[in-house]
């Protein structure tokens, strides 16, 4: 006997909190997003004011009203693996469940806006994409930027990553390098016949201890760079003088520097040492001087902070689109078993974005 399970559906007439619960209840661990992408696509295709395109398990819905500006509002559909935290449950003023914070509360806000804001004062591109929680090669936003960059063209973007309902502008870039010292092996009983590579790493650590972080101000926001040893590896055996030591260093750099500029700084900082780049990702400029960004900040009416971590806003920056992080939920709860989101934050984020999308004025919005 063959059993069948009905494909999940989404009712966009639900309020944002109920819609968040519905999204949470559709399991969507990375690389298994097809059911939720199917439900999102079907719900959006039922809206006549939107043009809908699907690429893999990424769904894009766009207004085409000829407004003076276009903005992107984006969120990822995938979650980390299930950890005995499904289905969703509402307890008091908190909605619990896998992905409730990271970031199905934000996705619900996107879907509610897409369904109910039919005449925005600025054209909107809504993007719900897959595979954000795993290796970058799978990331739906990255793949969309490669295959259909025109679908992401915009003046400003909002990534609805959890930010406690506050605005975190841009993001810092990150790179990792291996700083290597070499020596000569010898028996530790005759150490003078060798050359201890671990001892040579002391100068690397002293340079790091003396490092003074650069703190540039960009669009009125002070970013705080970092340069830190995160791993030290070396040694052969308990009675052998080591001939190699590797200090892995992570550099978090402000978005006014490119990856090449940041790497050049690190190479100069460790002049005289063998340096090998192992990982790099660009930062993202906040773009708060853009009219759409100024109107957004005015609509949310809150303090704007720089984003010190790295998020997918950097993918927008690579396309020349300034971006901010803005979404319900505490990012410190992301990926935790007790993940939850305050329902008040979901509703407030929806209300603030709705105000921004429907109020004429700053930023070329329709009068």
């Amino acid at each position: 006997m063959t059993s069948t399970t009905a494909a999940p559906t989404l009712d966009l007439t639900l309020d944002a909190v109920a819609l968040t619960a519905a999204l949470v209840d559709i399991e969507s661990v990375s690389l298994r997003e097809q059911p939720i992408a199917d439900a999102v696509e079907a719900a959006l295709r039922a809206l006549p004011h939107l043009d809908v395109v699907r690429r893999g398990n990424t769904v894009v819905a766009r207004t085409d009203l000829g407004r003076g500006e276009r903005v992107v509002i984006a969120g990822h559909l995938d979650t980390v693996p299930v950890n005995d935290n499904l289905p969703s449950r509402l307890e008091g003023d908190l909605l619990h469940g896998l992905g409730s914070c990271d970031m199905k509360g934000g996705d619900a806000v996107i879907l509610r806006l897409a369904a109910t804001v039919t005449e925005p004062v600025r054209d909107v591109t809504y993007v719900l994409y897959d595979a954000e929680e795993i290796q970058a090669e799978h990331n739906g936003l990255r793949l969309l930027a490669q295959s259909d960059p025109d679908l992401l063209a915009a003046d400003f973007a909002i990534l609805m990553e959890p930010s406690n309902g506050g605005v975190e502008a841009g993001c810092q870039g990150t790179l990792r390098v291996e700083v290597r010292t070499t020596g000569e092996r010898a028996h530790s009983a005759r150490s003078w016949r060798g050359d201890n590579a671990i001892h040579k790493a002391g100068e690397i650590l002293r340079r790091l201890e003396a490092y003074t972080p650069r703190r540039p101000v960009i669009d009125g926001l002070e970013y705080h760079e970092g340069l830190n040893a995160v791993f030290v590896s070396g040694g052969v055996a308990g009675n052998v003088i080591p001939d190699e030591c590797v200090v892995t260093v992570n550099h978090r750099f402000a978005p006014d520097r490119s990856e090449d500029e940041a790497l050049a700084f690190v190479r100069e900082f460790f002049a005289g040492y063998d340096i090998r780049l192992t990982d790099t990702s660009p930062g993202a400029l906040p773009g708060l001087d853009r009219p759409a960004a100024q109107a957004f900040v005015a609509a949310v009416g809150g303090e704007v902070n720089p984003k010190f971590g790295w998020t997918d806003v950097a993918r927008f920056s690579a396309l020349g689109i300034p971006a901010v992080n803005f979404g319900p939920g505490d990012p410190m709860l992301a990926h935790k078993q007790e993940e939850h989101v305050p329902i008040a934050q979901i509703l407030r984020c929806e209300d603030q974005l709705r105000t921004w999308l429907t109020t004429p004025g700053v930023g070329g919005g329709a009068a």
Side-chain angles (χ1 to χ4, degrees):
M1 179 176 174
T2 302
S3 62
T4 59
T5 302
T9 60
L10 293 170
D11 179 359
L12 301 190
T13 67
L14 295 174
D15 65 61
V17 176
L19 189 54
T20 300
L23 288 166
V24 169
D25 290 340
I26 304 175
E27 184 181 325
S28 58
V29 175
S30 302
L31 300 183
R32 300 205 298 270
E33 302 96 336
Q34 183 173 339
I36 197 169
D38 288 347
V40 166
E41 180 187 13
L44 291 174
R45 286 199 183 277
L47 304 173
H49 62 281
L50 295 175
D51 295 325
V52 179
V53 175
R54 179 163 173 176
R55 296 288 184 267
N57 288 323
T58 292
V59 183
V60 181
R62 293 159 50 93
T63 65
D64 189 12
L65 300 169
R67 304 303 196 212
E69 286 181 323
R70 177 172 291 277
V71 296
V72 171
I73 306 178
H76 64 81
L77 294 169
D78 63 319
T79 71
V80 296
V82 180
N83 187 17
D84 194 27
N85 48 4
L86 285 179
S88 64
R89 69 183 193 280
L90 185 63
E91 293 185 356
D93 59 356
L94 300 177
L95 179 67
H96 295 255
L98 176 62
S100 55
C101 168
D102 185 19
M103 53 180 291
K104 291 184 176 180
D107 293 337
V109 171
I110 290 173
L111 290 170
R112 283 288 298 160
L113 294 170
T116 59
V117 181
T118 59
E119 292 282 337
V121 298
R122 42 186 62 85
D123 272 311
V124 190
T125 301
Y126 302 101
V127 182
L128 293 128
Y129 63 101
D130 61 334
E132 188 272 347
E133 298 288 8
I134 55 174
Q135 297 92 333
E137 65 187 277
H138 302 291
N139 185 291
L141 194 61
R142 183 187 76 87
L143 296 175
L144 187 66
Q146 291 180 338
S147 67
D148 299 85
D150 55 306
L151 291 179
L152 293 175
D155 300 286
F156 180 62
I158 297 171
L159 185 66
M160 297 205 66
E161 285 283 357
S163 63
N164 276 315
V167 179
E168 294 181 333
C171 73
Q172 297 205 136
T174 180
L175 64 79
R176 281 187 293 274
V177 296
E178 293 179 345
V179 187
R180 180 173 278 96
T181 61
T182 57
E184 183 179 354
R185 292 190 190 187
H187 197 293
S188 61
R190 295 176 291 279
S191 59
W192 60 89
R193 292 187 175 274
D195 185 14
N196 196 312
I198 292 179
H199 290 182
K200 289 182 177 182
E203 172 59 22
I204 296 172
L205 300 179
R206 283 189 288 273
R207 290 189 192 185
L208 288 169
E209 282 186 315
Y211 165 73
T212 300
R214 195 172 72 101
R215 300 174 72 167
V217 176
I218 307 169
D219 288 353
L221 302 176
E222 183 179 82
Y223 289 82
H224 191 139
E225 296 188 330
L227 190 68
N228 291 280
V230 292
F231 292 105
V232 178
S233 60
V236 180
N239 60 351
V240 177
I241 299 302
D243 59 347
E244 182 179 79
C245 181
V246 176
V247 180
T248 300
V249 175
N250 180 217
H251 180 37
R252 297 288 175 144
F253 55 94
D256 61 339
R257 277 184 170 170
S258 68
E259 293 170 278
D260 288 343
E261 289 169 334
L263 180 58
F265 162 75
V266 171
R267 290 192 184 282
E268 181 180 357
F269 188 87
F270 292 114
Y273 288 94
D274 176 27
I275 305 294
R276 186 171 78 89
L277 178 68
T278 60
D279 183 57
T280 179
S281 296
L285 289 166
L288 296 180
D289 57 338
R290 301 288 180 95
Q294 292 172 353
F296 171 69
V297 171
V300 300
E303 181 182 359
V304 181
N305 295 304
K307 180 70 175 180
F308 295 117
W310 190 92
T311 72
D312 270 338
V313 297
R315 301 193 190 281
F316 290 108
S317 187
L319 295 171
I321 305 168
V324 300
N325 303 275
F326 175 76
D330 183 348
M332 299 301 292
L333 291 171
H335 305 179
K336 287 183 171 290
Q337 184 180 39
E338 66 271 22
E339 182 177 358
H340 58 261
V341 60
I343 62 175
Q345 284 189 10
I346 298 172
L347 297 174
R348 186 170 69 250
C349 285
E350 179 189 4
D351 182 64
Q352 290 172 325
L353 283 170
R354 186 182 305 280
T355 297
W356 176 58
L357 291 176
T358 58
T359 303
V362 178

